[in-house]
C-alpha cells in the first residue's frame, strides 16, 4: 500500500455546538474549540473533523447549509475560522470540514431563486417536478420520515428532499451545480483546510426515473436503500470531484458511505478510488431494522467482532478504512456495544482497545475519550434531534406505549452524543457559563476530563496511551500497516487478532465476558511475548503468558502484546 501523510495519525470529531462555549450563549463555538487545542494536542490528535459550522438555520444542526462561504454567527466569524486553522497548524493538527453537498438548506439563495422561478436557471439546481392531480412523482420515503416530495406553495410543483424538507437535494446531473461545488471546495482547501468528511454522498446519484418501489411500511412508502440500489454511476461524479479538488490539493477525504454495493470498495477507496478513506459502518448498522428503531436489536459482542473482522478482511489489499465506535449520529459506543455489566471504566477501555488497534484510521468522537455515556431522557421534549422525533412517532404508530417509545428512542437518539462535553465537575460541566442548548448529562460529576486528566488509570489516560502507541516508531509500522488476522473466532465474547507487521506481530485480545477466560496459541511457544498495554495495569515490557503457554483474560480485560519474531 502506498504510504500517505494521514495514515499514521489519529483523528478526532468535534460537534461544535456541544464542545465548548466561549461566550456564555449556551452554544459551543469556534473560539471554544481554539481554547481546547492544547487539550487535543496533548491527547495526541493530529486530524480534526468539524461537523458543520457554515451559515445554517440549523433544522438539522448545520447539515442544512444556507451559505457555504460563511460561518454561522452562532459559531463565530470567518476570522475565528482562520485563526483556528492557524492555531491548529502550529500544533501539527490538520482540519477537515464537513462537506454537505447532497443538499443545501431551503434558505440557500439558490433554492429561494428556484422557488421564485422553477423553470429558470436555479430551478435546474434542484429536482423540481410537476404534480399531476396533486400527486407527487413517486413513493420514496425521506430518511426523516414522510414523502421525499414537498409541494412548493403557490405552484403546481414539488421538490425532492431525501432528508428533511428544509434540506432540498441538489441536482448533481446539472454540470453547473457540480462546478459551483468544486469551486467552493477549492476555496476552502486554498484557505488551508486539509480535506473533508463527505456527508451522505451515496445519495447524490438518483435512479433515472421517479418510479415507485414496493412499499415497505404501512405508510405506502419505500426506504431509500431500495431506491439507491438502483442508481448507477455515482463514482463518475466523485472521480470528477477528486480530479478537480482533492487531487490537486493532496487533500484527505473520508466518505460517509452507507449502502455501498458489493465489489465496489476499490472504486471508493482503492488506489484510484474517489476518496482517501471511508467509515466502516458495519457495526453501526448491525441489528438495525428497516422498520425503524423499535424493531432493531443491539448487537452482541460476537456480532460486533464479526462486523469488524468482516470489514477488515474485505478491505485488506484494497484500501484504508476509518474506524469509529460512535459519531454524532449514533448512540454512545460504550452504551451500545458493551453488555450492561461491562459498562464500567474497564469495559470502556476494552472497547477502546478493540477498535483502536484495528487496521485503519481511528476516529475518536468528542467525549468518547473520557467514556461519556448515553443520556437518560425522561420525556420526548428533552430530545431535540429531528430523526428521534420521527422514530418516536413510528414507535407509537407501531403500537408501542409512550413509555416504551421513549425507552427505544432514548437508546438510539442522536442526542445521546450531542449533549455538551464534560470538561470538569463545575456547573454545566464547564461547557458554558450560560444555559446549555441541550441538557448536560448529570453524570458529568463523575465522568469529566479534569477528573481524569491527572489519573493514570482513567479512560482518558488509556486513550492517550493507545494514541501514543500508534505513534511509537518501534511499533508504528505494524500498527498502521500490519495485516489483520483474526484468531480464536469461535470463542464467545473474546475478540482476538494479530496485526502482522514487517518485523513483529502485535497481538490484541479482549474479554467481553464477566468471567475469566483462558486462551492459548501454539504460536506463542518459545517466543517472547510482552505487554504493550493492559487495562488491568500490567506494565509495558512484562511477560504475560503463563508457564503453560496460556493467557488468562480477566473479566473485561484487554491486552495489546508484542510477539517477537
Ligand atoms: C449525514 C449526517 C447527519 C445528517 C444527514 C443529512 O448522515 O451525518 O447528521 O442528518 O447526513 O445531512
Ligand atoms: Ca457560544
Amino acid at each position: 500500500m502506498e504510504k500517505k501523510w494521514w495514515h499514521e495519525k489519529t483523528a478526532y470529531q468535534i460537534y461544535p455546538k456541544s464542545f465548548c462555549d466561549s461566550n456564555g450563549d449556551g452554544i459551543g463555538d469556534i473560539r471554544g474549540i481554539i481554547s481546547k487545542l492544547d487539550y487535543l494536542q496533548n491527547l495526541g490528535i493530529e486530524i480534526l473533523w468539524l461537523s458543520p459550522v457554515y451559515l445554517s438555520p440549523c433544522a438539522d444542526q448545520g447539515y442544512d447549509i444556507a451559505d457555504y462561504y460563511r460561518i454561522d454567527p452562532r459559531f463565530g466569524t470567518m476570522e475565528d475560522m482562520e485563526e483556528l486553522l492557524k492555531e491548529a497548524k502550529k500544533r501539527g493538527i490538520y482540519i477537515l470540514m464537513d462537506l454537505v453537498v447532497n443538499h443545501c438548506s431551503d434558505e440557500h439563495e439558490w433554492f429561494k431563486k428556484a422557488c421564485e422561478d422553477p423553470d429558470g436557471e436555479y430551478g435546474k439546481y434542484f429536482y423540481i417536478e410537476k404534480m399531476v392531480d396533486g400527486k407527487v412523482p413517486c413513493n420514496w420515503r425521506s430518511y426523516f420520515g414522510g414523502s421525499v416530495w414537498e409541494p412548493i406553495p403557490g405552484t403546481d410543483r414539488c421538490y425532492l428532499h431525501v432528508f428533511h424538507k428544509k434540506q432540498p437535494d441538489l441536482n448533481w446531473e446539472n454540470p453547473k451545480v457540480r462546478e459551483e461545488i468544486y469551486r467552493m471546495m477549492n476555496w476552502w482547501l486554498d484557505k488551508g483546510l486539509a480535506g473533508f468528511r463527505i456527508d451522505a454522498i451515496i445519495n447524490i446519484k438518483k435512479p433515472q426515473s421517479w418510479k415507485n418501489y414496493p412499499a415497505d411500511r404501512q405508510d405506502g412508502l419505500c426506504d431509500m436503500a431500495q431506491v439507491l440500489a438502483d442508481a448507477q454511476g455515482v463514482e463518475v461524479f466523485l472521480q470528477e470531484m477528486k480530479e478537480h479538488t482533492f487531487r490537486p490539493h493532496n487533500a484527505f477525504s473520508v466518505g460517509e458511505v452507507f449502502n455501498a454495493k458489493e465489489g465496489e470498495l476499490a472504486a471508493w477507496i482503492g488506489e484510484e478510488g474517489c476518496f482517501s478513506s471511508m467509515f466502516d459502518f458495519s457495526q453501526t448498522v448491525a441489528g438495525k431494522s428497516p422498520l425503524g428503531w423499535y424493531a432493531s436489536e443491539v448487537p452482541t459482542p460476537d456480532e460486533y467482532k464479526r462486523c469488524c473482522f468482516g470489514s477488515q478482511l474485505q478491505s485488506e489489499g484494497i484500501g484504508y478504512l476509518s474506524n469509529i465506535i460512535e459519531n454524532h449520529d449514533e448512540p454512545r459506543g460504550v452504551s451500545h456495544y458493551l453488555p450492561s455489566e461491562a459498562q464500567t471504566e474497564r469495559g470502556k477501555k476494552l472497547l477502546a482497545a478493540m477498535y483502536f488497534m484495528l487496521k485503519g484510521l481511528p476516529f475518536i468522537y468528542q467525549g468518547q475519550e473520557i467514556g461519556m455515556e448515553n443520556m437518560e431522557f425522561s420525556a420526548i421534549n428533552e430530545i431535540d434531534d429531528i430523526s428521534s422525533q420521527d422514530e418516536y412517532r413510528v414507535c407509537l404508530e407501531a403500537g408501542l406505549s409512550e413509555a416504551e417509545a421513549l425507552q427505544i428512542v432514548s437508546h438510539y437518539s442522536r442526542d445521546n452524543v450531542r449533549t455538551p462535553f464534560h470538561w470538569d465537575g463545575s456547573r454545566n460541566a464547564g461547557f458554558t457559563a450560560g444555559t446549555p442548548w441541550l441538557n448536560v448529562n448529570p453524570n458529568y460529576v463523575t465522568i469529566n476530563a479534569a477528573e481524569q486528566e491527572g489519573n493514570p488509570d482513567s479512560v482518558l489516560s488509556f486513550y492517550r496511551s493507545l494514541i501514543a502507541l500508534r505513534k511509537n516508531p518501534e511499533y508504528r509500522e505494524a500498527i498502521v500497516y500490519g495485516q489483520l488476522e483474526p484468531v480464536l473466532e469461535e470463542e464467545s465474547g473474546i475478540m482476538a487478532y494479530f496485526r502482522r507487521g514487517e518485523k513483529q506481530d502485535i497481538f490484541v485480545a479482549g474479554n467481553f465476558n464477566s468471567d475469566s477466560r483462558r486462551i492459548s496459541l501454539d504460536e506463542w511457544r518459545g517466543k517472547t511475548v510482552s505487554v504493550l498495554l493492559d487495562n488491568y495495569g500490567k506494565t509495558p515490557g512484562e511477560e504475560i503468558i503463563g508457564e503453560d503457554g496460556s493467557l488468562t483474560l480477566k473479566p473485561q480485560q484487554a491486552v495489546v502484546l508484542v510477539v517477537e519474531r
Side-chain angles (χ1 to χ4, degrees):
M1 177 179 290
E2 194 194 327
K3 298 199 165 146
K4 296 283 164 57
W5 64 265
W6 49 271
H7 280 157
E8 300 178 348
K9 306 201 180 302
T10 299
Y12 188 93
Q13 181 189 356
I14 289 189
Y15 195 69
K17 206 171 177 185
S18 303
F19 191 57
C20 177
D21 174 23
S22 71
N23 62 355
D25 65 358
I27 297 177
D29 45 51
I30 297 173
R31 301 218 69 84
I33 299 174
I34 297 173
S35 75
K36 298 299 181 187
L37 285 173
D38 288 338
Y39 167 82
L40 295 166
Q41 184 186 20
N42 254 320
L43 185 58
I45 300 303
E46 291 174 286
I47 296 179
L48 264 192
W49 152 29
L50 302 191
S51 277
V53 290
Y54 313 90
L55 189 74
S56 166
C58 268
D60 184 22
Q61 300 301 357
Y63 284 89
D64 46 322
I65 298 172
D67 190 337
Y68 292 94
Y69 293 91
R70 280 167 66 193
I71 298 293
D72 195 282
R74 359 171 133 65
F75 297 122
T77 62
M78 191 58 78
E79 287 69 46
D80 294 338
M81 189 63 209
E82 282 158 1
E83 190 176 326
L84 172 61
L85 287 167
K86 203 173 83 203
E87 289 299 319
K89 192 166 180 193
K90 270 193 209 158
R91 293 167 177 81
I93 298 177
Y94 295 79
I95 305 259
L96 316 176
M97 282 174 90
D98 223 303
L99 184 72
V100 189
V101 288
N102 172 66
H103 46 268
C104 58
S105 161
D106 65 340
E107 297 183 31
H108 194 289
E109 69 162 342
W110 296 338
F111 191 69
K112 288 189 196 155
K113 289 183 181 160
C115 290
E116 279 160 23
D117 180 12
D119 297 315
E121 184 186 348
Y122 289 96
K124 299 187 185 62
Y125 273 44
F126 299 91
Y127 297 101
I128 297 183
E129 296 292 332
K130 275 213 168 97
M131 294 184 291
V132 182
D133 302 327
K135 281 224 289 277
V136 298
C138 60
N139 73 337
W140 306 352
R141 182 188 306 105
S142 127
Y143 291 104
F144 296 148
S147 166
V148 296
W149 296 101
E150 181 71 15
I152 304 180
T155 69
D156 60 350
R157 312 295 175 94
C158 58
Y159 68 90
L160 179 96
H161 61 90
V162 301
F163 290 92
H164 193 258
K165 66 177 182 201
K166 283 186 71 63
Q167 295 169 301
D169 281 48
L170 285 162
N171 181 359
W172 272 74
E173 306 295 333
N174 180 350
K176 276 214 177 124
V177 168
R178 304 204 298 273
E179 223 172 88
E180 292 264 20
I181 291 171
Y182 306 152
R183 187 164 66 86
M184 175 275 290
M185 291 169 69
N186 284 325
W187 186 84
W188 278 107
L189 292 168
D190 289 340
K191 253 190 190 308
L193 213 65
F196 290 100
R197 173 264 184 185
I198 298 117
D199 185 72
I201 198 64
I202 194 95
N203 296 282
I204 65 173
K205 187 74 192 186
K206 276 71 177 172
Q208 289 203 326
S209 69
W210 306 127
K211 76 170 207 217
N212 287 335
Y213 291 83
D216 47 31
R217 291 188 196 172
Q218 294 294 336
D219 60 8
L221 303 176
C222 73
D223 196 275
M224 279 304 294
Q226 265 198 73
V227 176
L228 294 175
D230 244 6
Q232 299 297 330
V234 66
E235 68 284 355
V236 181
F237 292 152
L238 296 175
Q239 279 294 339
E240 183 187 81
M241 175 192 269
K242 172 181 168 183
E243 292 309 322
H244 283 79
T245 62
F246 305 138
R247 198 199 288 278
H249 283 92
N250 191 22
F252 171 73
S253 52
V254 52
E256 185 199 26
V257 185
F258 283 101
N259 316 99
K261 300 195 174 76
E262 234 182 273
E264 257 186 10
L265 202 58
W268 290 103
I269 58 168
E271 208 73 42
E272 290 307 318
C274 51
F275 295 145
S276 315
S277 181
M278 66 191 246
F279 290 108
D280 175 21
F281 289 124
S282 59
Q283 0 72 33
T284 53
V285 297
K288 294 256 172 80
S289 161
L291 294 177
W293 290 347
Y294 76 91
S296 300
E297 273 175 50
V298 173
T300 64
D302 287 338
E303 282 158 352
Y304 174 77
K305 144 172 110 173
R306 273 197 291 277
C307 289
C308 295
F309 289 167
S311 310
Q312 291 275 316
L313 298 180
Q314 252 176 31
S315 59
E316 181 57 40
I318 295 182
Y320 210 68
L321 290 172
S322 288
N323 299 316
I324 59 164
I325 62 163
E326 65 204 37
N327 64 25
H328 66 294
D329 292 330
E330 300 297 328
R332 286 286 178 187
V334 294
S335 304
H336 188 59
Y337 299 114
L338 290 171
S340 49
E341 65 284 2
Q343 293 180 14
T344 57
E345 288 210 357
R346 181 107 56 206
K348 291 173 183 179
K349 295 176 193 168
L350 158 70
L351 187 61
M354 291 306 110
Y355 104 98
F356 198 91
M357 296 303 294
L358 296 172
K359 183 169 180 175
L361 179 65
F363 273 74
I364 296 171
Y365 176 76
Q366 67 180 45
Q368 177 187 324
E369 77 277 22
I370 54 170
M372 282 180 68
E373 299 170 354
N374 268 3
M375 179 80 167
E376 272 179 41
F377 297 101
S378 49
I380 187 67
N381 65 11
E382 288 175 7
I383 301 181
D384 172 272
D385 165 37
I386 47 179
S387 82
S388 304
Q389 299 291 342
D390 177 57
E391 293 281 354
Y392 184 75
R393 200 182 44 74
V394 171
C395 286
L396 296 182
E397 274 172 19
L400 273 67
S401 71
E402 286 183 7
E404 289 163 338
L406 182 65
Q407 201 193 358
I408 302 278
V409 170
S410 284
H411 179 82
Y412 289 101
S413 175
R414 307 195 294 178
D415 277 359
N416 279 307
V417 282
R418 297 177 179 188
T419 61
F421 188 97
H422 301 173
W423 291 106
D424 57 39
S426 72
R427 206 174 72 93
N428 292 327
F431 160 73
T432 180
T435 308
W437 73 277
L438 192 67
N439 287 341
V440 177
N441 193 324
N443 67 12
Y444 78 88
V445 188
T446 48
I447 302 175
N448 67 67
E451 204 270 325
Q452 297 188 19
E453 193 64 53
N455 173 1
D457 291 330
S458 65
V459 176
L460 180 60
S461 298
F462 193 77
Y463 268 95
R464 197 170 279 141
S465 310
L466 280 168
I467 299 171
L469 186 60
R470 186 174 173 84
K471 286 188 204 212
N472 186 331
E474 195 56 35
Y475 309 108
R476 187 163 52 206
E477 189 279 329
I479 293 176
V480 176
Y481 295 108
Q483 186 166 345
L484 183 138
E485 182 189 314
V487 289
L488 306 169
E489 281 184 88
E490 298 313 315
E491 303 275 342
S492 176
I494 299 286
M495 179 161 171
Y497 54 91
F498 278 102
R499 299 291 314 283
R500 305 278 186 197
E502 276 166 11
K503 301 196 302 280
Q504 75 224 140
D505 298 306
I506 305 283
F507 178 73
V508 183
N511 179 11
F512 287 82
N513 301 298
S514 292
D515 52 355
S516 294
R517 297 292 165 102
R518 220 171 63 174
I519 59 173
S520 77
L521 288 176
D522 289 346
E523 189 175 332
W524 291 334
R525 217 156 285 153
K527 287 188 185 160
T528 321
V529 181
S530 44
V531 174
L532 292 176
L533 214 57
D534 169 21
N535 68 349
Y536 268 78
K538 261 206 192 296
T539 358
E542 257 182 83
E543 263 286 343
I544 196 166
I545 307 296
E547 301 263 303
D548 62 350
S550 80
L551 164 61
T552 299
L553 289 170
K554 302 202 185 76
Q556 285 92 45
Q557 184 165 19
V559 293
V560 180
L561 312 175
V562 57
V563 185
E564 236 48 86
R565 289 250 174 88

